[in-house]
Amino acid sequence: MKRYTRMWVLFLAFVFCACLVPYQGNAAEAVTLRYSIMFAAPHRQTQVVNEWCKEVEKQTNGRVKVTVFLMNTLTPPVQTYDSVVKGIADMGLADAAYTRGKFPLTEVVGLPLGYKSATQATKMTNAFYNKFKPKEWDETKVMYFYSHGPGILHSKKQVSKLEDVKGLKIRSQGVAANIAQALGGAPVGMPMTESYDALSKGVVDSILCPMEAMKGWKLAEVVGFHTLSYPTAYTSAHFVVMNKSKWNAISPADQKVIEKINEEWIAREGKAWDEIDKEAVEVVQARGNKIISLSNEEGTRWSNAVKPLLDEYVKDMKAKGLSGDEVLKFCVDYLKANQ
């Protein structure tokens, strides 16, 4: 009888101790994310994405895993954001300029502000978001933004002065289309994935984009001239966002880990873009393509031609009840202070 009593006491003690252990629930279960990106496997940005995925899995001890879908195989670039909102993709990377008007306040990033580097542009884009937190992004959990290097003009014919731009069919997305038009060209909108064929077949004569595309998208094969139009250089806000429900399925502890990784990747993204810009210059030179610099006088002419776009942005934002003047001033001041 005493033996059974001892066994019963031991059993009750075990149950009591078990109740003291916190229930882990879903926090211990692995969360797998489907990540849609717009780049091909060899692109440097795909490598950066893969490095992010590995780091997340490593630092969460496998509790968060990511499967990457390349070249828009999961979602078209113009639908990436909405696909993340709807849960078709759990995460998405795309260019905000692909959906003109959807992210109005963020269009400030695409204005011809004369960017010097991808690192500068990327830091400014994240600083802008962190300060103003535009409601246009509220349907998703924003991981971070990054911006490519200075967007300049690449063409199938030589462009060394403003008059040479007149009538050019220029592939340009978002606010960059306004830049093309302000310079005298005819903007033609299309995703970057269609640009190579469009240039090779003569659908467009030129393209506004960063130098890296000459290597990453092999565009150096279908253009022969590169105008260093830095006075009107623009960039674009590439977003990395996650479905909110999927984010909430991740434990708070792992969310903090991921947010810390995101901060590190902002710097990595800018650095990676700058590196491939330099590599692209080498590709261009090796092919014998011509790089054209603008004189100070000519650069001023280009800059003056696009100045009305800044005023139009402020006016358009005011009509939408948004503080475009404050946002534009912040970005201009940031670039001056962070050359």
Side-chain angles (χ1 to χ4, degrees):
M1 186 69 181
K2 290 182 179 179
R3 184 178 64 179
Y4 288 113
T5 301
R6 285 197 299 269
M7 290 177 64
W8 182 248
V9 170
L10 288 172
F11 173 74
L12 290 176
F14 172 79
V15 172
F16 176 76
C17 291
C19 291
L20 295 178
V21 178
Y23 174 63
Q24 298 297 316
N26 293 334
E29 299 176 6
V31 175
T32 301
L33 305 171
R34 296 164 299 163
Y35 190 174
S36 177
I37 72 171
M38 57 186 282
F39 298 105
H43 199 284
R44 179 71 181 97
Q45 285 305 312
T46 298
Q47 297 171 24
V48 175
V49 166
N50 287 334
E51 290 164 5
W52 182 90
C53 297
K54 290 178 182 177
E55 193 66 18
V56 166
E57 184 170 349
K58 175 185 175 182
Q59 291 199 31
T60 62
N61 293 318
R63 291 184 297 275
V64 180
K65 299 180 180 181
V66 189
T67 301
V68 177
F69 293 81
L70 303 173
M71 288 287 289
N72 313 304
T73 52
L74 184 59
T75 60
V78 296
Q79 297 175 18
T80 296
Y81 186 83
D82 288 339
S83 295
V84 172
V85 173
K86 296 173 183 177
I88 298 170
D90 301 315
M91 287 186 65
L93 180 161
D95 187 343
Y98 286 174
T99 46
R100 184 72 181 277
K102 189 172 183 65
F103 309 106
L105 209 58
T106 309
E107 289 180 2
V108 68
V109 177
L111 292 174
L113 302 180
Y115 295 95
K116 306 295 185 191
S117 69
T119 295
Q120 180 199 44
T122 295
K123 288 181 177 180
M124 188 214 77
T125 304
N126 284 280
F128 147 74
Y129 175 77
N130 290 331
K131 179 174 177 59
F132 296 98
K133 292 287 171 54
K135 292 182 179 179
E136 58 209 45
W137 297 100
D138 281 357
E139 290 181 292
T140 61
K141 164 62 181 176
V142 172
M143 297 284 101
Y144 61 88
F145 294 90
Y146 67 85
S147 295
H148 59 64
I152 56 178
L153 186 68
H154 312 268
S155 182
K156 300 178 75 169
K157 76 169 192 176
Q158 180 164 324
V159 176
S160 55
K161 58 184 185 296
L162 197 56
E163 288 76 11
D164 296 333
V165 184
K166 188 174 182 180
L168 277 183
K169 291 179 290 183
I170 306 174
R171 181 273 176 189
S172 45
Q173 281 294 128
V175 182
N178 292 342
I179 298 173
Q181 191 168 29
L183 293 174
V188 180
M190 66 181 69
M192 183 61 82
T193 49
E194 300 174 14
S195 299
Y196 185 100
D197 286 343
L199 284 162
S200 64
K201 295 175 182 178
V203 175
V204 294
D205 311 304
S206 54
I207 182 170
L208 277 170
C209 66
M211 185 65 78
E212 67 83 21
M214 300 305 108
K215 178 183 179 181
W217 297 94
K218 300 183 179 180
L219 299 188
E221 299 174 1
V222 287
V223 296
F225 302 89
H226 312 270
T227 304
L228 305 181
S229 50
Y230 291 121
T232 58
Y234 74 99
T235 188
S236 189
H238 287 71
F239 58 80
V240 178
V241 297
M242 188 183 295
N243 175 273
K244 277 193 170 182
S245 295
K246 206 69 176 183
W247 174 252
N248 291 333
I250 298 172
S251 71
D254 286 338
Q255 287 179 351
K256 291 180 180 179
V257 168
I258 293 172
E259 288 180 331
K260 187 175 180 180
I261 294 171
N262 290 343
E263 292 176 7
E264 180 184 346
W265 248 251
I266 290 171
R268 287 199 181 199
E269 290 282 9
K271 182 181 178 181
W273 278 106
D274 285 333
E275 288 173 350
I276 53 181
D277 264 1
K278 292 178 182 178
E279 292 171 4
V281 170
E282 295 173 0
V283 169
V284 163
Q285 292 172 333
R287 291 189 59 84
N289 292 8
K290 187 173 182 179
I291 297 177
I292 303 161
S293 297
L294 299 179
S295 66
N296 291 337
E297 181 181 359
E298 189 63 28
T300 299
R301 293 182 67 209
W302 286 52
S303 183
N304 288 337
V306 300
K307 276 183 179 178
L309 298 182
L310 279 60
D311 296 331
E312 289 176 16
Y313 168 81
V314 172
K315 182 179 178 181
D316 289 346
M317 293 306 104
K318 185 176 181 180
K320 293 179 171 68
L322 300 172
S323 55
D325 52 348
E326 185 181 353
V327 165
L328 178 59
K329 184 180 185 305
F330 172 83
C331 292
V332 170
D333 291 345
Y334 184 96
L335 294 178
K336 286 180 180 178
N338 298 272
Q339 295 290 335

